Each structure stands twice: as structure tokens, then as C-alpha cells.
């Protein structure tokens, strides 16, 4: 089946630094990727939708200059959390739409802790 | 705005049946998904409904009524490994590959 590889699985960074999270679709072309954030015991909150080769569409309330999304190829999308602060600590998950097999495949998630 | 409601938690014993309800009020509708998520892991796909009726897949079944904005996920012959959060998600756009809006999730606890 379709696989999305997400790295790193966890990261600890200092306040003020930037962190990049990568999502790769391994056996299909992901024209569209979605980025979610999930706080403990809460549901997935959509942050942005990215389409290969174009600018991401951000959900209301999500700062596009803080959460930089790049989707330069059909198999790779990246989320960079810039100038991270402790309140950015969360579980970040990507999801790719598989237009051939159908459905959405999720990455394994990245646990970000900002200290 | 968008509203997707499901119960916060349900408890059931091993071997029993549990039904998780989901009601939604969204600006559009283009399919409803159910996902299972274990703590600290990514969601895994369980079922998809776009037309009214029941979809059965092994021990899991999902039902949809579009006129009522209602769906349920039925888990039969519960096993301990079914203890997880179950997420209801609605695709509310006409784009067949549009974004999903998730409910808050229902934590199912299976007891021996």
C-alpha cells in the first residue's frame, strides 16, 4: 500500500531555533499534502494544504511566516517551524492524497518539544 | 462554521460491541472517513462512506445518513488492541482530494 515516510519522529530544540520536518511519499506521487498539528488528547487540526509546485494554503489562524511549507516535488513536502517557542511543542503529522489508489495516507508523525 | 461531534470516551468489555456516533454540520459534504489512532502514532484508515447506507469491513462497519448529518462506526467482537482513539473526519469540499476536517476523537477503552 501507499507509504508516507515522515522524519524526524521526534526532535527537541531550543527556543528560537528552527526545525524542519520532512514527508516523503515512497511509492506514489503526492500531488497534495496536508499538514496537521495535534495537541495531547485533542484531534488533528489542519494547518495547511500544499500542492506540488505552488504556494501552500493556510488555515485561518496559522501563521504562514512561522510555519513554512515547501512542496517542490511530487514526493517531498517539508514543514519548517521557524523561531520555535515552547507553545509550538506538539505532534505534527503530514498526510498525502493518493490519487491513484484513493484515500489519504498519514506519515508516522513528529513529536516536537521546544525547551 | 464546521462542526463535527463525537463522544469523548466509551468503555466496553472484550468481545462486546461498541457504536461510536458522529454528527456533522459542514458547509459541504464529499465523504466521511473513520480513522483509528493509537497514542503517539499516526491515524490509520478504517472506512469511507459517501453514499447513504452501511459499509462492512470485517469486524468494523460504518453507516452514513447524509440527510441527518450522521454516521456511526460499529466495532464488533472487541479486542484489547481496539483500545484507541477513533476519529470521524468529513471532506467538505467538492474537490475529491480536498482537505479533511476531523472531530475531536472518541477514546475507546476495552476492558477484560
Amino acid at each position: 500500500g501507499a507509504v508516507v515516510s515522515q522524519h524526524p519522529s521526534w526532535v527537541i530544540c531550543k527556543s528560537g531555533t528552527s526545525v524542519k520536518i520532512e514527508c516523503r511519499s515512497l511509492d506514489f506521487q503526492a500531488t497534495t499534502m496536508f499538514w496537521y498539528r495535534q495537541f495531547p488528547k485533542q484531534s488533528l487540526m489542519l494547518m495547511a494544504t500544499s500542492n506540488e509546485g505552488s504556494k501552500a494554503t493556510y488555515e485561518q489562524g496559522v501563521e504562514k511566516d512561522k510555519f513554512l511549507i515547501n512542496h517542490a516535488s511530487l514526493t517531498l513536502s517539508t514543514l519548517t517551524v521557524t523561531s520555535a517557542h515552547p507553545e509550538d511543542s506538539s505532534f505534527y503529522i503530514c498526510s498525502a492524497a493518493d490519487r491513484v489508489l484513493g484515500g489519504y495516507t498519514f506519515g508516522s508523525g513528529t513529536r516536537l518539544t521546544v525547551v | 462554521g464546521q462542526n463535527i461531534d463525537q463522544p469523548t470516551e466509551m468503555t466496553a468489555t472484550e468481545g462486546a460491541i461498541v457504536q461510536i456516533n458522529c454528527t456533522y454540520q459542514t458547509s459541504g459534504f464529499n465523504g466521511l472517513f473513520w480513522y483509528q489512532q493509537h497514542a503517539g502514532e499516526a491515524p490509520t484508515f478504517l472506512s469511507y462512506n459517501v453514499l447513504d447506507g452501511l459499509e462492512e469491513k470485517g469486524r468494523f462497519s460504518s453507516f452514513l445518513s447524509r440527510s441527518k448529518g450522521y454516521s456511526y462506526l460499529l466495532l464488533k467482537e472487541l479486542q484489547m488492541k481496539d483500545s484507541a482513539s477513533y476519529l470521524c473526519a468529513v471532506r467538505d469540499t467538492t474537490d475529491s482530494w480536498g482537505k479533511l476536517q476531523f472531530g475531536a476523537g472518541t477514546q475507546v477503552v476495552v476492558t477484560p
Side-chain angles (χ1 to χ4, degrees):
Chain A
V3 175
V4 172
S5 175
Q6 182 171 348
H7 292 281
S9 56
W10 62 270
V11 58
I12 301 172
C13 71
K14 290 186 176 179
S15 193
T17 61
S18 296
V19 172
K20 180 186 281 188
I21 301 169
E22 290 189 353
C23 272
R24 293 179 184 274
S25 56
L26 298 186
D27 46 7
F28 68 102
Q29 293 183 331
T31 308
T32 305
M33 279 269 199
F34 305 93
W35 286 93
Y36 295 88
R37 180 166 53 179
Q38 186 176 36
F39 291 107
K41 298 192 177 180
Q42 294 186 24
S43 190
L44 281 72
M45 298 299 297
L46 181 67
M47 299 174 68
T49 301
S50 75
N51 289 294
E52 183 266 337
S54 60
K55 289 184 179 180
T57 302
Y58 290 81
E59 295 298 299
Q60 195 171 7
V62 178
E63 301 173 58
K64 62 180 181 181
D65 293 330
K66 180 170 181 60
F67 299 99
L68 301 178
I69 291 172
N70 185 283
H71 194 163
S73 78
L74 285 171
T75 58
L76 175 64
S77 178
T78 61
L79 166 67
T80 301
V81 182
T82 63
S83 187
H85 291 285
E87 57 265 31
D88 298 323
S89 298
S90 187
F91 192 53
Y92 292 86
I93 311 177
C94 63
S95 172
D98 183 349
R99 295 175 184 244
V100 174
L101 296 180
Y104 301 83
T105 301
F106 285 83
S108 53
T110 298
R111 173 75 57 195
L112 170 63
T113 302
V114 185
V115 297
Chain B
Q2 317 286 46
N3 219 23
I4 300 173
D5 292 316
Q6 48 182 132
T8 304
E9 184 172 316
M10 303 182 75
T11 301
T13 53
E14 207 172 1
I17 298 173
V18 69
Q19 177 175 314
I20 306 170
N21 295 324
C22 172
T23 58
Y24 62 90
Q25 290 177 307
T26 55
S27 54
F29 180 82
N30 190 9
L32 186 143
F33 297 75
W34 284 96
Y35 287 87
Q36 179 192 64
Q37 186 182 26
H38 286 98
E41 299 180 11
T44 55
F45 171 77
L46 292 178
S47 71
Y48 168 67
N49 296 73
V50 67
L51 299 176
D52 290 349
L54 188 68
E55 293 284 339
E56 296 186 86
K57 194 187 275 189
R59 294 190 298 116
F60 295 170
S61 304
S62 58
F63 171 83
L64 175 68
S65 168
R66 288 172 297 170
S67 62
K68 294 182 180 177
Y70 167 71
S71 172
Y72 69 71
L73 178 70
L74 197 68
L75 285 63
K76 304 176 206 171
E77 301 169 19
L78 279 174
Q79 302 175 10
M80 297 301 291
K81 66 179 182 179
D82 297 330
S83 291
S85 181
Y86 290 84
L87 306 172
C88 170
V90 173
R91 182 167 53 204
D92 62 358
T93 64
T94 54
D95 179 357
S96 294
W97 305 106
K99 58 188 179 182
L100 300 182
Q101 300 287 354
F102 282 83
T106 298
Q107 186 66 42
V108 170
V109 178
V110 181
T111 59

